[in-house]
Amino acid sequence: MEHRLVRHIEKALGWDGPGSVGTAFARGRLTDPELPARLLTPLRLLDLIKRRHLANPQLRCYAEGEEVHPSTFLSTNVNRRRQAVSQADMAALGRILNDGGTVVLDHVDFFDATLEVACRALGWWSGELTSANAYLAVGDTDGFHLHWDDHEVIAVQLSGEKSWEVRGPSRPAPMYRDAERNRTPSEEVLWKGTMRAGDVMHIPRGFWHTATRLGSGSGGHSLHVTFGFTKRTGVTWANFLSDAARADDAFRHDLEGVQGTAHQVLTDKLSALAATYSPERYLDELRSSTPPARHMPHVAAFGRPDGAAAVTEFAPSIVRSGDTVQVCGGGKRLTFHERAEPSLRALLSGHPVYLEDAPDDIITLADLLITEGLCEPLTELSSSGYTGLVTPVTYSKQPPTSV
């Protein structure tokens, strides 16, 4: 999938691909001045919050550097069926912001079509699950205390400005569940300055950082979004091997009282298992077997869909084998005749495919991929997430040829 955001992030950070994610701190600026507002605006964020049932910690607020108790800005309403639902108290959110506070919405891509497509594009690009969090701060407000994240982050300033300090790591590649605590900040300051609309920054896992608007005055605001990449580690692979070992009864027997030769058998079997499921194979199978986070079904009674787009978390694999084509992705393995290859590559490209005037075989194939969960029908709302950011695929009727 060729996405405008991905292309401009690479250019801004001086990268030539996803291999740079997690390697070093980097900072740059988008060359497209219209892109930040296209992704998200402060009012659109508040509108998303207003229209959703939300709970803490997905929706959080901060004031003077401390987290505000959820009861201050979340209300529980009882509908006519006496069902209690949690939602934001928008008046309370307004007071928090007007008093110099910060509103945070995690996984905003679940609610917004534009950021959903952006996260999918970044996931296909990086080969890692990607999500987006939005941070809206108003006035002269403190930010989060100096901290580090257990995932890689690309931060994009969408509007306003915010001051940052980024430091190096104090422990190599720290993890959420780790062998020891990592509470002492590094004294190595890599960058200290202000992010303005269009600025981009990459903060690797474990790098200490803080952001604030202190000293910015009572006017103004900041809206930035962070794209988080949860990368797989050697520990992740080791955990997978541990689960895979359960299939062999030799690993399920007690260790106590077992003779030394049996211990050697376990050692040999574990080595063989690690050789069979190398890190490369583990990653390939993980990506191909991960189902889409969400999927829109096709209901035949509603008529033919106007279009379709791939919704797998990672780019599907399309491999030609003799006179067949093998498709692996979204937890499915499908086989097609070689004639379907061009249409498969279009429908599984990550680009929206509009089916008006499309040949019947394309429509039939789109219906099948939607049924299998690799694609979903495009709606007016989901189509908007691609507009101006991802080039669509369209078809036109060919005039009949005279004989």
Side-chain angles (χ1 to χ4, degrees), residues 2-5 7-8 32 34-35 38-39 114 117 352 354 382-392:
E2 296 181 5
H3 194 285
R4 187 169 145 198
L5 174 64
R7 185 172 66 251
H8 281 275
D32 184 348
E34 297 179 357
L35 186 52
R38 174 66 183 87
L39 294 175
T114 298
V117 174
Y354 294 99
S382 63
S383 293
S384 69
Y386 296 92
T387 304
L389 298 171
V390 181
T391 305

Side-chain angles (χ1 to χ4, degrees), residues 42-368:
L43 290 178
R44 201 165 103 219
L45 174 61
L46 291 177
D47 192 67
L48 289 173
I49 294 172
K50 181 187 75 171
R51 299 177 187 278
R52 299 295 187 276
H53 290 161
L54 295 169
N56 184 266
Q58 184 171 26
L59 180 66
R60 311 188 303 279
C61 291
Y62 295 83
E64 298 180 352
E66 301 295 332
E67 187 168 358
V68 178
H69 194 278
S71 63
T72 306
F73 58 88
L74 287 174
S75 61
T76 301
N77 293 334
V78 179
N79 62 21
R80 63 182 182 178
R81 296 183 184 274
R82 297 187 180 280
Q83 297 167 325
V85 293
S86 175
Q87 63 187 71
D89 181 335
M90 299 306 294
L93 282 187
R95 287 191 293 270
I96 290 172
L97 289 172
N98 286 324
D99 289 343
T102 299
V103 173
V104 182
L105 180 60
D106 287 351
H107 290 284
V108 63
D109 48 294
F110 261 55
F111 307 132
D112 183 80
T114 298
L115 290 174
E116 178 184 38
V117 174
C119 284
R120 184 178 302 129
L122 287 165
W124 282 32
W125 170 74
S126 67
E128 303 291 348
L129 293 173
T130 307
S131 62
N133 296 344
Y135 300 79
L136 177 61
V138 174
D140 190 42
T141 178
D142 201 352
F144 300 102
H145 299 302
L146 197 62
H147 68 285
W148 59 271
D149 294 319
D150 62 352
H151 54 274
E152 324 298 338
V153 169
I154 292 179
V156 182
Q157 188 73 25
L158 301 181
S159 64
E161 59 184 42
K162 203 164 195 179
S163 298
W164 288 72
E165 180 178 296
V166 181
R167 301 187 184 188
S170 51
R171 173 174 169 79
M175 303 182 70
Y176 178 73
R177 271 191 65 214
D178 210 332
E180 62 183 63
R181 296 184 182 276
N182 183 35
R183 291 180 172 176
T184 304
S186 168
E187 296 183 358
E188 177 193 18
V189 178
L190 300 177
W191 179 72
K192 188 174 183 179
T194 301
M195 292 273 286
R196 296 180 175 83
D199 287 343
V200 183
M201 180 166 53
H202 168 55
I203 305 176
R205 170 164 56 108
F207 281 50
W208 294 82
H209 56 278
T210 183
T212 179
R213 278 187 51 80
L214 285 179
S216 300
S218 58
H221 74 282
S222 168
L223 173 63
H224 77 270
V225 63
T226 60
F227 295 100
F229 302 81
T230 305
K231 302 190 77 171
R232 312 301 163 177
T233 67
V235 171
T236 314
W237 175 59
N239 287 338
F240 164 79
L241 293 178
S242 173
D243 289 335
R246 300 173 196 275
D248 188 332
D249 61 358
F251 289 100
R252 300 198 303 270
H253 286 292
D254 297 341
L255 288 176
E256 296 291 339
V258 177
Q259 299 298 322
T261 55
H263 287 176
Q264 184 61 48
V265 169
L266 289 181
T267 301
D268 293 342
K269 281 179 173 287
L270 185 59
S271 297
L273 185 63
T276 300
Y277 284 96
S278 65
E280 293 79 11
R281 179 181 174 184
Y282 160 67
L283 288 174
D284 287 343
E285 293 193 1
L286 175 72
R287 289 162 183 159
S288 65
S289 64
T290 301
R294 294 183 297 175
H295 174 256
M296 172 81 73
H298 171 49
V299 180
F302 300 159
R304 192 183 78 180
D306 294 331
V311 292
T312 55
E313 298 299 307
F314 307 107
S317 168
I318 305 173
V319 179
R320 180 83 167 266
S321 178
D323 60 355
T324 64
V325 178
Q326 308 291 327
V327 173
C328 296
K332 299 293 179 68
R333 294 178 181 272
L334 307 173
T335 302
F336 299 88
H337 192 276
E338 61 180 345
R339 291 193 302 269
E341 183 176 0
S343 300
L344 285 170
R345 293 195 179 279
L347 288 164
L348 297 176
S349 65
H351 293 242
V353 178
Y354 294 99
L355 300 174
E356 184 179 7
D357 299 332
D360 290 341
D361 59 335
I362 298 286
I363 296 171
T364 301
L365 191 58
D367 287 341
L368 175 62

